[in-house]
Amino acid sequence: MSTAPTRERRSRPEARCPLRPDEVCNLCQLDVTGPQDCGLVYLVMSDPDQRVEWGERRRAAR
């Protein structure tokens, strides 16, 4: 009796939220496909003051 070769299933890597690096991007909005088109990420990264604050919090968390 021969057995069929088993194939390993490969999963796609889960995108991490850039604003909450410990969390997976949970696609908070219906039309979002990941962090690359997330409105919240866009707002934080396009505002210089928020971007500086985000960077400081990220460094403090490390």
Side-chain angles (χ1 to χ4, degrees):
M1 176 177 217
S2 65
T3 59
T6 58
R7 273 205 249 177
E8 291 183 33
R9 285 192 168 182
R10 293 185 185 209
S11 62
R12 291 183 180 185
E14 294 179 331
R16 295 282 176 192
C17 177
L19 305 178
R20 298 170 293 197
D22 296 337
E23 297 182 24
V24 175
C25 177
N26 59 5
L27 304 176
C28 302
Q29 300 170 357
L30 294 176
D31 60 342
V32 173
T33 60
Q36 67 275 5
D37 60 356
C38 175
L40 180 60
V41 172
Y42 171 77
L43 287 174
V44 170
M45 295 302 175
S46 64
D47 182 330
D49 294 332
Q50 284 187 353
R51 191 170 186 156
V52 168
E53 183 178 339
W54 170 74
E56 290 171 355
R57 288 182 184 204
R58 189 171 175 195
R59 281 188 289 281
R62 288 183 187 172

